[in-house]
């Protein structure tokens, strides 16, 4: 039973990060679509880097958990990379620094390369952290306020990412927003950004869009239709990522006006 494995993962969380951080289980088991040979994706977050001895001990505990519950060990991404994150790394992930920022400030999702050099790189680690916060996951314990803050900020960043990928479209539906996060380069799911079009993604996007509406970057037309204000969105992305704002399209204002009149 995966519940027993999650319980053991919570014990590890208490021992490794205590009240100073938190732990998450994400991936297929959290989403409820695990296969018999699926591993348990875990992320532990705390303020500072683990020392070598602590890091080795954490890996040993997670490996023992998998063997105890007869879960497959997945070494595609090294445990040294994926199991633990500092608060600074979480902040960087929420700031979308795992993606590529083009010279004009626009965001681009680097195409996934299933090779160790890419999968164990810092940018890919940041993508894993961001995915853990914005996809289906189980909270394993720790500092609830810190987790909720990171979750809310990640949902806002997720909505900004989706709007950046839609840009220069200013009128859109919730379905369109989900589509740009689940498909790209002719691929989908884990071969793209790791998302499936499930209720968790939809909920995270809705939460993020509500945040952006409060910042006047988005207007909520009804429950499923929205209007973006491209220049405001680009400025928010630039502030979030520390980049140069994307150059406004000549027809941005006209497009917004046209969509307003529909």
């Amino acid at each position: 039973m995966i519940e027993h494995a999650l319980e053991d993962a919570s014990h590890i969380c208490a021992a490794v990060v205590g009240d100073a951080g938190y732990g998450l289980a994400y991936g297929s088991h959290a989403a409820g679509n695990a296969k018999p040979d699926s591993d348990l994706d875990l992320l532990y977050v705390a303020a500072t880097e683990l020392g070598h001895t602590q890091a080795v001990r954490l890996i040993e505990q997670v490996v023992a958990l998998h063997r105890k519950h007869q879960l497959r060990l997945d070494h595609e991404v090294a445990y040294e990379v994926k199991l633990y994150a500092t608060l600074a790394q979480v902040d960087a992930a929420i700031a979308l620094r795992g993606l590529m920022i083009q010279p004009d400030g626009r965001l681009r999702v680097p195409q996934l390369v299933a090779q160790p050099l890419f999968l164990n790189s810092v940018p890919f680690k940041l993508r894993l952290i961001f995915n853990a916060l914005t996809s289906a996951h189980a909270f394993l314990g720790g500092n609830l306020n810190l987790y909720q803050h990171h979750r809310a900020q990640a949902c806002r960043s997720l909505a900004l990412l989706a709007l950046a990928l839609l840009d220069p479209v200013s009128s859109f539906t919730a379905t369109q927003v989900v589509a740009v996060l689940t498909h790209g380069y002719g691929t989908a799911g884990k071969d793209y950004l790791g998302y499936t079009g499930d209720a968790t993604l939809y909920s995270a996007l809705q939460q993020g869009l509500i945040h952006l509406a409060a910042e006047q970057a988005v207007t909520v037309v009804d429950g499923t239709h929205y209007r973006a204000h491209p220049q405001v969105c680009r400025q928010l992305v630039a502030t979030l990522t520390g980049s140069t704002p994307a150059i406004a399209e000549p027809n941005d204002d006209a497009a917004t006006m046209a969509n307003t009149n529909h």
Side-chain angles (χ1 to χ4, degrees):
M1 296 287 287
I2 194 61
E3 292 84 358
H4 299 309
L6 291 173
E7 184 176 1
D8 284 348
S10 293
H11 289 315
I12 295 173
C13 181
V16 173
V17 304
D19 294 330
Y22 59 87
L24 301 177
Y26 64 104
S28 58
H29 282 289
N33 56 15
K35 298 177 180 177
D37 65 343
S38 295
D39 70 323
L40 180 60
D41 294 302
L42 298 169
L43 174 66
Y44 297 103
V45 173
T48 59
E49 291 281 3
L50 290 179
H52 175 72
T53 301
Q54 293 172 302
V56 170
R57 177 60 180 152
L58 173 59
I59 294 169
E60 289 175 345
Q61 289 176 303
V62 170
V63 169
L65 178 155
H66 278 72
R67 289 175 175 161
K68 174 182 176 181
H69 297 284
Q70 299 181 332
L71 298 168
R72 181 176 66 90
L73 289 164
D74 185 354
H75 297 282
E76 189 174 33
V77 179
Y79 282 104
E80 292 85 347
V81 173
K82 65 182 179 180
L83 273 184
Y84 184 87
T86 65
L87 297 184
Q89 289 169 334
V90 174
D91 287 340
I94 292 172
L96 302 177
R97 292 185 189 137
L99 305 179
M100 183 175 291
I101 304 170
Q102 300 182 127
D104 64 357
R106 294 183 189 273
L107 287 168
R108 187 172 73 83
V109 179
Q111 193 164 359
L112 189 146
V113 180
Q115 297 293 333
L117 185 63
F118 180 86
L119 296 177
N120 293 294
S121 66
V122 171
F124 190 71
K125 174 172 183 166
L126 298 182
R127 285 172 65 167
L128 287 178
I129 295 168
F130 187 69
N131 186 271
L133 283 165
T134 53
S135 63
H137 59 264
F139 178 67
L140 298 174
N143 189 321
L144 180 60
N145 289 334
L146 178 62
Y147 157 70
Q148 290 177 331
H149 172 71
H150 283 163
R151 165 70 176 170
Q153 291 301 305
C155 288
R156 175 184 179 272
S157 295
L158 183 70
L160 279 174
L161 170 59
L163 295 183
L165 295 175
L166 276 174
D167 193 14
V169 174
S170 58
S171 181
F172 61 93
T173 66
T175 301
Q176 286 176 289
V177 178
V178 169
V180 296
L181 292 173
T182 54
H183 295 80
Y185 302 115
T187 62
K190 68 177 183 178
D191 294 324
Y192 183 47
L193 279 169
Y195 298 112
T196 57
D198 58 13
T200 300
L201 178 62
Y202 188 89
S203 175
L205 281 167
Q206 290 283 22
Q207 291 177 55
L209 289 169
I210 294 302
H211 279 287
L212 296 184
E215 298 176 72
Q216 300 182 331
V218 170
T219 298
V220 182
V221 178
D222 58 31
T224 58
H225 292 78
Y226 302 85
R227 186 172 67 255
H229 305 290
Q231 293 187 48
V232 179
C233 290
R234 291 173 195 153
Q235 184 58 58
L236 291 178
V237 169
T239 301
L240 177 68
T241 61
S243 62
T244 303
I247 299 170
E249 298 289 340
N251 295 326
D252 272 354
D253 292 337
T256 300
M257 289 294 291
N259 285 311
T260 301
N261 293 330
H262 286 306

